Amino acid sequence: MIFVPLPFVVALLLAILLIRMLRQGDGSFAEKRPFLLLIGFYIIQSVVIGIRWGYDIIDIMPLQSLMATMIAALAWVCFKGLAMEEQPTLSRFWPHLLPAAAIVIFIALYPEPISLAIILIFIAYGIALLWLARRGPDALVASRLDGAVLSYRSLQITGFALIASAVTDIVISFDFTQAGGIHAGAIVALGNVIALLILGTAASVAGNGSTMDAASSEPPPPPPATEEDGAVAAALDALMHARQLYRDPDLNLSRIARKMNLPARRVSMAVNRIHGMSVSQYVNDLRIRSACEQLVTTDHPVTQVMFDSGFISKSNFNREFARLNGESPTQFRKRRVPRESGGAASNVIFMSP
């Protein structure tokens, strides 16, 4: 029987995830691109781990160390790109090539500190990601609002996973010191396989912005609102209703802030303090109210209503609809629209939920 290391199976699953992302033509390839690259690195690393621990080929260890370092840095670059109002450029992130360069130097000249260096790199980037997540979903100003909460969850998961990977490396090092590494293979098979699956799924969610179901993130209690907060919130309300910006599926906080000529953080603070919610929740509420009106006053299919309201993910649409109305869109329509032979009645007056 042919022996197939478990990491190879993980690489196959991640490859399927990558293909699914590539086939989803939702017009957001530029946002996905860094995460597609990140998942590609996860696939290569999983194959390398399978070769090293499945077939005990030690010569591939330098590549494994280099890939691990690049993955940590690339994860930070991907999520930091979602937190930037301006278009990220390679020149902005070149310092994050330095950890990989340091590993290359260690490999060539002095291999002993490599394990410690990788542990420190993973811990540093894990903490940096969790620090980036401290402001909640609105920190990811370039993420589509349809999936900002999911991207935020992915950010948190990736930060914790990097730190967990560092802890796994510490355990492996301890095993080599105390027991000659007899348990190292099992630890790697369990720890890295789980970590790569979690990281790959998180990258897929963040890159798509809307492929999984998740609970809405409740922001922390806001400080008292100021007059300026009220003015910003009122201007945002006027902009949303006058131009129906919420119907744009690619809308994000950065784009809203540019239209208002304000910093993204200023807009986020005003929405949080006045409405007690994140910007993504605020926009999704407007989208759901628009969907309710369409469900009652038109006979458009639910899928068309979803797209017309600004959603591109059925799971997100159904989740947000249930959050506000306590039922599915189909149930909502059946209860409020009297059915005649031709379909939805056209004279029903819409009442905001």
Side-chain angles (χ1 to χ4, degrees), residues 180-237:
I182 60 175
H183 305 105
I187 296 172
V188 170
L190 179 62
N192 282 282
V193 163
I194 293 175
L196 286 170
L197 272 176
I198 292 173
L199 288 168
T201 304
S204 171
V205 171
N208 283 322
S210 55
T211 58
M212 291 176 55
D213 197 7
S216 295
S217 176
E218 294 295 334
T226 64
E227 290 186 7
E228 183 182 1
D229 293 327
V232 172
L236 177 60
D237 289 341

Side-chain angles (χ1 to χ4, degrees), residues 285 288-290 292-293 321 324-325 332 336 350-353:
D285 283 2
I288 294 301
R289 289 173 182 169
S290 172
C292 289
E293 183 173 8
F321 199 98
L324 285 179
N325 297 290
F332 178 91
R336 286 165 174 77
F350 168 72
M351 298 298 291
S352 178

Side-chain angles (χ1 to χ4, degrees), residues 113-166:
I114 289 179
S115 295
L116 176 60
I118 292 176
I119 290 171
L120 294 176
I121 289 169
F122 268 59
I123 291 176
Y125 277 111
I127 293 174
L129 287 169
L130 294 178
W131 180 253
L132 181 63
R134 74 191 187 281
R135 285 175 44 208
D138 287 346
L140 304 179
V141 297
S143 178
R144 272 202 322 262
L145 293 175
D146 184 26
V149 172
L150 300 177
S151 297
Y152 171 68
R153 296 297 189 205
S154 299
L155 168 60
Q156 292 177 307
I157 290 171
T158 303
F160 283 119
L162 289 180
I163 295 175
S165 295

Side-chain angles (χ1 to χ4, degrees), residues 4-21 39-40 42-44 46-47 193-194 196-202 204:
V4 178
L6 183 58
F8 286 4
V9 178
V10 174
L12 177 60
L13 294 175
L14 291 174
I16 293 172
L17 201 61
L18 183 65
I19 292 171
R20 287 185 59 189
M21 289 181 67
I39 294 177
Y42 290 152
I43 294 171
I44 297 172
S46 191
V47 172
V193 163
I194 293 175
L196 286 170
L197 272 176
I198 292 173
L199 288 168
T201 304
S204 171

Side-chain angles (χ1 to χ4, degrees), residues 13-293:
L13 294 175
L14 291 174
I16 293 172
L17 201 61
L18 183 65
I19 292 171
R20 287 185 59 189
M21 289 181 67
L22 289 170
R23 293 180 62 183
Q24 289 174 344
D26 54 12
S28 59
F29 182 77
E31 181 179 318
K32 288 182 181 180
R33 189 163 45 199
F35 291 95
L36 293 170
L37 180 61
L38 182 59
I39 294 177
F41 270 76
Y42 290 152
I43 294 171
I44 297 172
Q45 180 72 335
S46 191
V47 172
V48 169
I49 290 173
I51 294 173
R52 165 62 184 93
W53 297 100
Y55 301 107
D56 199 25
I57 300 178
I58 301 177
D59 292 342
I60 206 169
M61 280 292 291
L63 178 59
Q64 180 181 336
S65 301
L66 180 60
M67 288 294 299
T69 306
M70 295 176 68
I71 281 174
L74 184 57
W76 162 257
V77 169
C78 287
F79 284 103
K80 181 62 176 177
L82 290 182
M84 296 173 60
E85 295 189 47
E86 68 275 12
Q87 185 69 25
T89 60
L90 288 177
S91 60
R92 177 75 177 261
F93 293 117
W94 72 263
H96 296 280
L97 295 173
L98 296 179
I103 294 298
V104 170
I105 293 173
F106 283 140
I107 291 172
L109 302 178
Y110 188 48
E112 282 76 8
I114 289 179
S115 295
L116 176 60
I118 292 176
I119 290 171
L120 294 176
I121 289 169
F122 268 59
I123 291 176
Y125 277 111
I127 293 174
L129 287 169
L130 294 178
W131 180 253
L132 181 63
R134 74 191 187 281
R135 285 175 44 208
D138 287 346
L140 304 179
V141 297
S143 178
R144 272 202 322 262
L145 293 175
D146 184 26
V149 172
L150 300 177
S151 297
Y152 171 68
R153 296 297 189 205
S154 299
L155 168 60
Q156 292 177 307
I157 290 171
T158 303
F160 283 119
L162 289 180
I163 295 175
S165 295
V167 173
T168 300
D169 287 345
I170 293 173
V171 173
I172 293 172
S173 299
F174 183 79
D175 180 65
F176 270 104
T177 301
Q178 300 297 320
I182 60 175
H183 305 105
I187 296 172
V188 170
L190 179 62
N192 282 282
V193 163
I194 293 175
L196 286 170
L197 272 176
I198 292 173
L199 288 168
T201 304
S204 171
V205 171
N208 283 322
S210 55
T211 58
M212 291 176 55
D213 197 7
S216 295
S217 176
E218 294 295 334
T226 64
E227 290 186 7
E228 183 182 1
D229 293 327
V232 172
L236 177 60
D237 289 341
L239 180 65
M240 284 293 170
H241 288 93
R243 301 178 59 178
Q244 296 187 329
L245 289 182
Y246 54 84
R247 300 183 68 175
D248 178 3
D250 294 322
L251 188 65
N252 57 39
L253 176 55
S254 179
R255 187 174 300 180
I256 293 173
R258 286 198 300 270
K259 290 183 179 298
M260 298 183 68
N261 293 318
L262 291 171
R265 184 167 175 77
R266 178 74 279 241
V267 178
S268 171
M269 288 171 55
V271 172
N272 183 241
R273 292 174 178 176
I274 297 298
H275 298 291
M277 61 181 68
S278 66
V279 175
S280 61
Q281 288 177 319
Y282 167 81
V283 171
N284 283 338
D285 283 2
L286 294 175
R287 289 170 171 170
I288 294 301
R289 289 173 182 169
S290 172
C292 289
E293 183 173 8

